[in-house]
């Protein structure tokens, strides 16, 4: 009896499924979480998946180098996670003789990085230029985080693209120990995500400062997310915008328990992001019943649906901050459970695998 049989009570399916990603992080980036979620979902379906990555790290997963991917053949399936330009992956995938799917996480347009980072500008230009080469691989099946991402693939000529939201860590957040500390008589706003020019943080800060100046109740803004030393001057710009004010706090990193406490203590979640392919943090906020205020850019209106106040202008954001509801975001809770819970995403993912995996492998898939 092998390890797989001891863990799951059955033998693995004969077919091989590979998940390919340029690099893996086991400390929290969104693409890696999606890979990890797919990996465990595939195990639950009866597969014995492997992760092909150029930066091998165990993290409890079966990992292999890129060079091992060509061993996949015939009815095997490889799912490549597209988040950056990767010439080596293009060459390997283009020569494979197996079924291939691409999970498209979107690429931030280079215009956001041009004032701050030559490295990111070059990387995003390369990733955007390389995407059409991937989409022209014969027989390629598309999987997109959102309809917004799907539309980019179909515009490049792909006819077969499914939408499957990304896997995430929300179950861990919801199960984190409860921290009862909450500042009394204070409105706390939270925004979560890396410090990057496309996130519209200067717009969020400006709207918050205007609203807090007019509010009869003290307001506080927590900006949770790491900065990147390759993005020169952007965080300095944000710090200068805040100035000497004490009601805006930058939190460079937060553990699962710390982030859960921040969500539990928040009165609203705010994002004025200018480009999003999905936006997991707004779903995290929904899962905690936190009211959401979001811009109408990228995939945000789609991800939020009717569970957020969607703002088209700076005055809209200010007014939304000044008119926060006193109750939980029940619509957001329902939207999370029905569309974005682990069970819902596994069901959507299993449906796609059933269609694109070989019949002999997919006949008895179970979520």
């Amino acid at each position: 009896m092998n390890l797989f049989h001891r863990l799951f009570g059955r033998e693995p399916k004969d077919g091989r499924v590979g998940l390919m990603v340029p690099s893996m992080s086991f400390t929290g980036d969104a693409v890696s979480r999606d890979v990890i979620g797919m990996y465990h979902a595939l195990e639950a379906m009866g597969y014995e998946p492997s992760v092909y990555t150029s930066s091998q790290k165990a993290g409890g997963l079966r990992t292999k180098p890129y060079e091992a991917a060509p061993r996949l053949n015939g009815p095997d399936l490889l799912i490549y996670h597209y988040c950056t330009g990767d010439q080596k992956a293009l060459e390997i995938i283009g020569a494979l003789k197996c079924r291939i799917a691409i999970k498209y996480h979107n690429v931030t347009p280079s215009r956001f990085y041009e004032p701050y980072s030559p490295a990111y500008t070059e990387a995003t230009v390369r990733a955007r230029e390389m995407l059409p080469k991937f989409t022209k691989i014969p027989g390629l099946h598309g999987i997109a985080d959102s309809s917004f991402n799907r539309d980019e693939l179909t515009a490049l000529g792909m006819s077969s693209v499914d939408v499957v939201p990304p896997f995430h860590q929300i179950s861990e957040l919801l199960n984190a120990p409860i921290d009862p500390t909450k500042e009394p008589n204070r409105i706390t706003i939270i925004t979560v995500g890396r410090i990057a020019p496309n996130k519209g943080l200067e717009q969020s800060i400006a709207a918050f400062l205007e609203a807090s100046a007019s509010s009869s109740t003290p307001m506080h803004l927590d900006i949770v997310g790491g900065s990147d030393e390759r993005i020169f001057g952007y965080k300095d710009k944000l710090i200068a915008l805040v100035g000497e004010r004490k009601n805006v706090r930058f939190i460079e990193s937060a553990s699962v328990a710390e982030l859960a406490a921040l969500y539990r203590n928040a009165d609203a979640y705010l994002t004025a992001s200018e480009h999003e392919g999905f936006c997991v943090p707004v779903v995290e906020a929904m899962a905690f019943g936190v009211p959401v205020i979001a811009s109408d850019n990228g995939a945000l209106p789609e991800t939020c649906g009717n569970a957020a106040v969607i703002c088209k202008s700076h005055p809209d954001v200010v007014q939304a901050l000044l008119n926060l509801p006193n109750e939980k975001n029940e619509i957001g809770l329902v939207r999370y459970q029905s569309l974005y819970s682990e069970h819902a995403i596994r069901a959507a993912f299993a449906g796609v695998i059933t269609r694109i995996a070989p019949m002999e492998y997919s006949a008895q898939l179970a979520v």
Side-chain angles (χ1 to χ4, degrees):
M1 182 183 295
N2 62 23
L3 177 61
F4 189 96
H5 189 283
R6 292 200 301 272
L7 289 174
F8 297 99
R10 59 183 182 276
E11 294 297 328
K13 293 180 182 293
D14 294 334
R16 293 176 294 182
V17 178
L19 303 169
M20 192 174 191
V21 64
S23 62
M24 279 292 293
S25 166
F26 295 92
T27 58
D29 77 80
V31 174
S32 294
R33 287 188 194 127
D34 194 32
V35 173
I36 293 167
M38 281 191 181
Y39 183 97
H40 293 307
L42 286 164
E43 282 190 324
M45 294 172 195
Y47 292 94
E48 193 170 358
S50 297
V51 176
Y52 299 89
T53 177
S54 60
S55 62
Q56 281 195 86
K57 294 180 181 179
L61 307 186
R62 187 181 305 101
T63 60
K64 297 179 180 180
Y66 265 18
E67 290 73 18
R71 297 172 192 166
L72 296 171
N73 59 74
D76 295 335
L77 171 66
L78 179 74
I79 303 174
Y80 176 67
H81 286 253
Y82 196 97
C83 52
T84 188
D86 189 339
Q87 181 63 36
K88 186 175 181 181
L90 177 61
E91 293 170 359
I92 291 173
I93 293 172
L96 287 179
K97 304 299 181 184
C98 67
R99 298 168 187 256
I100 306 166
I102 181 173
K103 178 66 186 286
Y104 183 48
H105 296 281
N106 213 294
V107 176
T108 303
S110 59
R111 67 179 184 276
F112 291 105
Y113 291 108
E114 286 170 357
Y116 305 104
S117 176
Y120 269 93
T121 300
E122 180 184 353
T124 51
V125 167
R126 182 174 65 250
R128 284 279 171 182
E129 291 177 345
M130 196 171 289
L131 182 60
K133 299 178 182 178
F134 275 87
T135 61
K136 288 181 173 58
I137 294 173
L140 185 73
H141 186 92
I143 309 172
D145 290 332
S146 61
S147 298
F148 177 78
N149 290 0
R150 178 194 60 199
D151 291 347
E152 287 195 11
L153 296 182
T154 56
L156 291 171
M158 289 191 67
S159 58
S160 177
V161 184
D162 286 292
V163 174
V164 178
F167 288 93
H168 45 65
Q169 65 166 358
I170 294 176
S171 294
E172 296 175 58
L173 291 170
L174 293 173
N175 292 326
I178 296 176
D179 182 348
T181 60
K182 181 175 175 63
E183 292 288 339
N185 304 316
R186 187 178 89 172
I187 296 171
T188 301
I189 311 299
I190 185 175
T191 188
V192 179
R194 65 194 186 96
I195 306 295
N198 64 297
K199 298 298 182 179
L201 290 167
E202 58 267 54
Q203 290 91 334
S204 292
I205 292 171
F208 167 81
L209 293 177
E210 184 174 334
S212 63
S214 302
S215 175
S216 58
T217 305
M219 298 181 73
H220 182 90
L221 174 63
D222 282 328
I223 300 172
V224 186
S227 54
D228 191 322
E229 61 184 12
R230 293 170 294 178
I231 304 176
F232 306 108
Y234 182 65
K235 187 171 183 180
D236 292 337
K237 178 181 178 180
L238 302 179
I239 292 172
L241 183 60
V242 173
E244 298 299 319
R245 298 173 182 87
K246 304 299 183 183
N247 61 340
V248 179
R249 177 173 60 162
F250 291 92
I251 302 173
E252 185 76 16
S253 63
S255 67
V256 168
E258 290 167 341
L259 183 57
L262 289 166
Y263 277 122
R264 289 190 179 106
N265 293 333
D267 295 289
Y269 181 91
L270 170 64
T271 175
S273 182
E274 297 182 73
H275 183 269
E276 291 289 345
F278 181 78
C279 194
V280 169
V282 298
V283 178
E284 293 174 344
M286 289 180 207
F288 281 92
V290 178
V292 175
I293 302 168
S295 66
D296 65 343
N297 296 316
L300 281 169
E302 175 189 351
T303 302
C304 295
N306 62 347
V309 177
I310 301 297
C311 300
K312 296 180 179 295
S313 67
H314 172 84
D316 289 347
V317 179
V318 174
Q319 285 304 307
L321 288 169
L322 290 172
N323 294 284
L324 295 176
N326 294 319
E327 64 276 358
K328 280 190 129 183
N329 185 359
E330 298 292 345
I331 296 175
L333 287 167
V334 171
R335 188 169 181 81
Y336 163 70
Q337 289 292 343
S338 61
L339 297 179
Y340 305 131
S341 65
E342 183 176 357
H343 176 79
I345 296 174
R346 279 197 175 194
F349 180 61
V352 173
I353 296 299
T354 300
R355 288 193 297 277
I356 66 177
M359 289 301 293
E360 62 268 28
Y361 300 164
S362 60
Q364 298 180 352
L365 290 182
V367 178

